[in-house]
Short mmCIF file of all heavy atoms in Angstrom, two decimals:
data_model
loop_
_atom_site.label_atom_id
_atom_site.label_comp_id
_atom_site.label_asym_id
_atom_site.label_seq_id
_atom_site.Cartn_x
_atom_site.Cartn_y
_atom_site.Cartn_z
N SER A 1535 7.65 -1.60 7.68
CA SER A 1535 6.41 -1.30 6.98
C SER A 1535 6.61 -0.56 5.67
O SER A 1535 5.81 -0.69 4.77
CB SER A 1535 5.46 -0.52 7.88
OG SER A 1535 6.01 0.72 8.24
N SER A 1536 7.68 0.25 5.55
CA SER A 1536 7.87 0.99 4.29
C SER A 1536 9.26 1.61 4.23
O SER A 1536 9.94 1.74 5.23
CB SER A 1536 6.82 2.09 4.16
OG SER A 1536 6.97 3.02 5.21
N VAL A 1537 9.63 1.98 3.00
CA VAL A 1537 10.88 2.69 2.74
C VAL A 1537 10.53 3.93 1.92
O VAL A 1537 9.68 3.87 1.03
CB VAL A 1537 11.87 1.82 1.94
CG1 VAL A 1537 13.11 2.61 1.57
CG2 VAL A 1537 12.26 0.60 2.74
N THR A 1538 11.19 5.04 2.23
CA THR A 1538 11.00 6.28 1.48
C THR A 1538 12.37 6.85 1.15
O THR A 1538 13.28 6.79 1.96
CB THR A 1538 10.19 7.30 2.32
OG1 THR A 1538 8.92 6.74 2.62
CG2 THR A 1538 10.00 8.61 1.57
N SER A 1548 8.00 7.34 -2.22
CA SER A 1548 7.64 6.75 -0.94
C SER A 1548 6.80 5.49 -1.11
O SER A 1548 5.79 5.51 -1.81
CB SER A 1548 6.86 7.78 -0.12
OG SER A 1548 6.45 7.22 1.09
N GLY A 1549 7.21 4.45 -0.45
CA GLY A 1549 6.39 3.24 -0.34
C GLY A 1549 5.39 3.37 0.79
O GLY A 1549 4.62 2.46 1.06
N ALA A 1550 5.40 4.52 1.48
CA ALA A 1550 4.50 4.77 2.60
C ALA A 1550 3.34 5.67 2.21
O ALA A 1550 2.55 6.06 3.05
CB ALA A 1550 5.26 5.41 3.75
N GLY A 1551 3.26 6.04 0.94
CA GLY A 1551 2.23 6.98 0.51
C GLY A 1551 2.76 8.40 0.58
O GLY A 1551 3.93 8.63 0.87
N TYR A 1552 1.89 9.33 0.30
CA TYR A 1552 2.33 10.72 0.18
C TYR A 1552 1.56 11.65 1.12
O TYR A 1552 1.17 12.74 0.74
CB TYR A 1552 2.21 11.18 -1.29
CG TYR A 1552 3.22 10.47 -2.15
CD1 TYR A 1552 2.92 9.25 -2.75
CD2 TYR A 1552 4.49 10.98 -2.31
CE1 TYR A 1552 3.85 8.58 -3.52
CE2 TYR A 1552 5.43 10.32 -3.08
CZ TYR A 1552 5.11 9.13 -3.67
OH TYR A 1552 6.05 8.47 -4.41
N ASN A 1553 1.36 11.22 2.35
CA ASN A 1553 0.73 12.05 3.35
C ASN A 1553 1.63 13.26 3.63
O ASN A 1553 2.81 13.10 3.95
CB ASN A 1553 0.50 11.23 4.62
CG ASN A 1553 -0.08 12.03 5.75
OD1 ASN A 1553 0.64 12.78 6.40
ND2 ASN A 1553 -1.37 11.89 5.97
N TYR A 1556 3.43 13.42 7.07
CA TYR A 1556 4.49 12.40 7.13
C TYR A 1556 5.72 12.88 6.36
O TYR A 1556 6.85 12.80 6.86
CB TYR A 1556 3.96 11.08 6.57
CG TYR A 1556 5.04 10.05 6.29
CD1 TYR A 1556 5.68 9.41 7.35
CD2 TYR A 1556 5.41 9.74 5.00
CE1 TYR A 1556 6.66 8.46 7.11
CE2 TYR A 1556 6.40 8.79 4.75
CZ TYR A 1556 7.02 8.17 5.80
OH TYR A 1556 8.00 7.24 5.56
N THR A 1583 0.34 8.81 9.27
CA THR A 1583 -0.47 8.07 8.31
C THR A 1583 0.47 7.47 7.27
O THR A 1583 1.20 8.19 6.59
CB THR A 1583 -1.50 8.99 7.63
OG1 THR A 1583 -2.31 9.59 8.64
CG2 THR A 1583 -2.36 8.22 6.65
N ILE A 1584 0.46 6.14 7.18
CA ILE A 1584 1.26 5.43 6.19
C ILE A 1584 0.30 4.56 5.39
O ILE A 1584 -0.44 3.76 5.96
CB ILE A 1584 2.36 4.58 6.85
CG1 ILE A 1584 3.39 5.49 7.50
CG2 ILE A 1584 3.01 3.64 5.85
CD1 ILE A 1584 4.52 4.78 8.19
N ASN A 1585 0.34 4.75 4.07
CA ASN A 1585 -0.57 4.02 3.17
C ASN A 1585 -2.02 4.13 3.64
O ASN A 1585 -2.74 3.15 3.72
CB ASN A 1585 -0.14 2.57 3.02
CG ASN A 1585 1.17 2.44 2.30
OD1 ASN A 1585 1.46 3.19 1.38
ND2 ASN A 1585 2.00 1.52 2.74
N GLN A 1586 -2.41 5.33 3.97
CA GLN A 1586 -3.77 5.69 4.37
C GLN A 1586 -4.23 4.99 5.64
O GLN A 1586 -5.42 4.83 5.87
CB GLN A 1586 -4.75 5.43 3.23
CG GLN A 1586 -4.40 6.22 1.99
CD GLN A 1586 -5.29 5.91 0.82
OE1 GLN A 1586 -6.05 4.95 0.83
NE2 GLN A 1586 -5.21 6.73 -0.20
N ASN A 1613 10.56 2.65 7.95
CA ASN A 1613 9.58 2.72 9.04
C ASN A 1613 9.34 1.35 9.64
O ASN A 1613 9.20 0.36 8.92
CB ASN A 1613 8.25 3.28 8.53
CG ASN A 1613 8.39 4.71 8.11
OD1 ASN A 1613 8.92 5.53 8.84
ND2 ASN A 1613 7.94 5.02 6.91
#
Side-chain angles (χ1 to χ4, degrees):
S1535 62
S1536 63
V1537 175
T1538 300
S1548 178
Y1552 291 89
N1553 177 282
Y1556 167 72
T1583 303
I1584 293 180
N1585 293 323
Q1586 301 176 348
N1613 294 310

